[in-house]
């Protein structure tokens, strides 16, 4: 099947921008593979459109990713089409500093197709985005790492490992995972994640419970999260998860949360309630009334799993929380994924306008964190920094330059 792949990359450090040499090599290799397209270069960044057989394109792209001359390779588009847009002309190479690229690209396309592609064509729009500087790597300086580990806590430990496993209460227990300001190297808050009495995942705690019993259990379990926070006595905020329906279906849910807190000498202002979109929209009026009551008592609110499943976007149109947590599905591998990068940039921009703090969830690698930090995400949560730990505060690993 005919496949089109577009990527951008940065010239690897220590390599000279020898465009003619590069053009020659890629022309020869691509001709053998029957790969055609266009390669743009602006002195630092490459932007290449590859067209050809799907397998040939994929294996070429794998080689490009490994090639030291390319840094920060980002896949921007992968698509299929009935015909080549750049014809059989091989690989056209353009230095955008000395060409009017939009004209040249349109010309190449016109020659290939016998007709001028409309400016609304997606490939033309992507070329324009590159020429306008949209696909340059974000400023790496934003995540300059210290060279060595400063004295600090040990790396995070996994669940269920701890010698000081807490008093189990027969119903459930909680693991804590920090949400951190990675550059400032401090903990912003801890998220309490429910665990079964034997340390099993949330699904195990909720298994066999449905309807009102589930909502009742969900709400009541928060008592144990608050008890843990009080016992550990940390000063940072505590985030807890609640099903939207636990707030809607349980009479006076807000009042009950408030009472659980005061049992342990805590205040609503120390707590952030994380909710996902789920069923929230079906019962929007009741849900919205519940949120108002929470705000009125001083609880913080966050939209959880933003960008996963039900996107959270419709929730955001109706109420603006203090925090948005971007789902791991968007975060994983973001440094190589153009569409996700564009989405995160838009979320950052939107949250900035609305005064909402952004958190990236499920950050597992330094590369993910660096890209997200440079793009303006405020806070981070994930195994890179710490794994959740049952009944205790996990140690934090602050990334350093290797
Ligand atoms: P969540 O609120 O989005 O919590 C983050 C989940 O991602 C947690 O899974 C956490 O252990 C996991 N996680 C954190 N960092 C990483 C990472 O770097 N990589 C990977 N692969 N995973 C990471 P967990 O604890 O299994 O919780 C799953 C979901 O269960 C939570 O997602 C939340 O929606 C729900 N949940 C947890 N506790 C409660 C609760 O008390 N009430 C309700 N209603 N839901 C809860
Ligand atoms: Mn959560
Ligand atoms: Mn989440």
């Amino acid at each position: 099947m005919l496949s089109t792949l577009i990527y951008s990359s940065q010239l690897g450090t220590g390599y000279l921008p020898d465009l003619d040499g590069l053009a020659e090599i890629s022309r020869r290799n691509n001709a053998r593979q029957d790969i055609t397209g266009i390669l743009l270069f602006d002195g630092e960044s490459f932007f290449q459109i590859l067209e050809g057989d799907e397998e040939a394109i994929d294996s070429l792209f794998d080689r490009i990713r490994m090639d030291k001359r390319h840094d920060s390779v980002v896949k921007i588009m992968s698509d299929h089409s009935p015909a080549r847009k750049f014809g059989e002309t091989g690989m056209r190479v353009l230095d955008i500093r000395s060409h009017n690229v939009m004209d040249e690209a349109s010309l190449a396309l016109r020659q290939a197709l016998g007709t001028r592609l409309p400016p609304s064509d997606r490939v033309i729009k992507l070329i324009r985005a590159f020429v306008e500087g949209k696909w340059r790597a974000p400023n790496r300086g934003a995540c300059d790492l210290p060279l060595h580990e400063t004295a600090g806590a040990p790396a995070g430990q996994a669940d269920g490992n701890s010698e000081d496993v807490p008093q189990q209460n027969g119903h459930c227990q909680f693991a804590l995972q920090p949400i951190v300001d990675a550059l400032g190297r401090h903990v912003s808050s801890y998220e309490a994640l429910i665990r079964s009495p034997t340390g099993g995942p949330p699904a195990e705690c909720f298994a066999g419970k449905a309807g009102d019993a589930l909502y009742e259990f969900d709400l009541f379990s928060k008592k144990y999260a608050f008890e843990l926070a009080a016992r550990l006595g940390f000063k940072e905020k505590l985030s807890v998860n609640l099903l939207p329906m636990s707030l809607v279906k349980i009479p006076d849910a807000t009042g009950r949360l408030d009472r659980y807190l005061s049992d342990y000498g805590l205040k609503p202002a120390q707590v952030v309630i994380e909710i996902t979109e789920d069923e929230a929209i079906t019962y929007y009026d009741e849900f919205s009334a519940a949120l108002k009551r929470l705000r009125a008592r001083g609880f913080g609110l966050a939209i959880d799993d933003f960008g996963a499943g039900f996107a959270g976007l419709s929730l955001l149109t109706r109420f603006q929380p203090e925090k948005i947590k971007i789902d791991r599905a968007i975060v994983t591998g973001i440094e190589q994924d153009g569409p996700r990068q564009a989405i995160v940039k838009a979320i950052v921009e939107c949250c900035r306008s609305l005064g909402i703090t952004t958190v990236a969830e499920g950050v597992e690698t330094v590369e993910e964190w660096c890209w997200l930090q440079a793009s303006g995400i405020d806070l981070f949560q994930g195994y890179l920094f710490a794994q959740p730990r049952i009944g205790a505060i996990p140690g934090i690993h602050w990334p350093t330059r290797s």
Side-chain angles (χ1 to χ4, degrees), residues 5-8 61 65 73-78 336-339:
L5 188 148
I6 304 184
Y7 72 88
S8 71
F61 188 54
R65 278 204 231 252
V73 179
V74 174
K75 193 196 242 186
I76 295 173
M77 184 185 112
S78 156
Q336 301 183 1
D337 191 312

Side-chain angles (χ1 to χ4, degrees), residues 129-184:
F130 174 72
V131 170
E132 289 167 355
K134 295 262 163 53
W135 291 104
R136 299 218 175 94
N139 171 20
R140 296 273 139 185
C143 63
D144 265 352
L145 297 170
L147 269 170
H148 301 290
E149 188 86 30
T150 51
Q157 293 172 329
D159 268 358
N161 53 350
S162 66
E163 326 72 51
D164 48 342
V165 173
Q167 308 108 26
Q168 298 182 2
N169 54 56
H171 298 286
C172 66
Q173 49 185 343
F174 281 86
L176 293 175
Q177 188 182 31
I179 298 170
V180 303
D181 165 355
L183 283 187

Side-chain angles (χ1 to χ4, degrees), residues 191 193 241 274 304-305 325 361:
E191 178 169 8
L193 298 157
N241 299 279
E274 297 190 2
D304 203 350
D305 302 346
K325 301 185 73 180
E361 294 192 298

Side-chain angles (χ1 to χ4, degrees), residues 224-234 238 261 263-266:
Y224 297 107
F226 300 155
E227 184 271 332
L228 176 62
R231 176 152 51 85
L232 297 174
F234 53 80
L238 179 75
L261 280 171
D263 286 350
Y264 300 106
L266 301 172

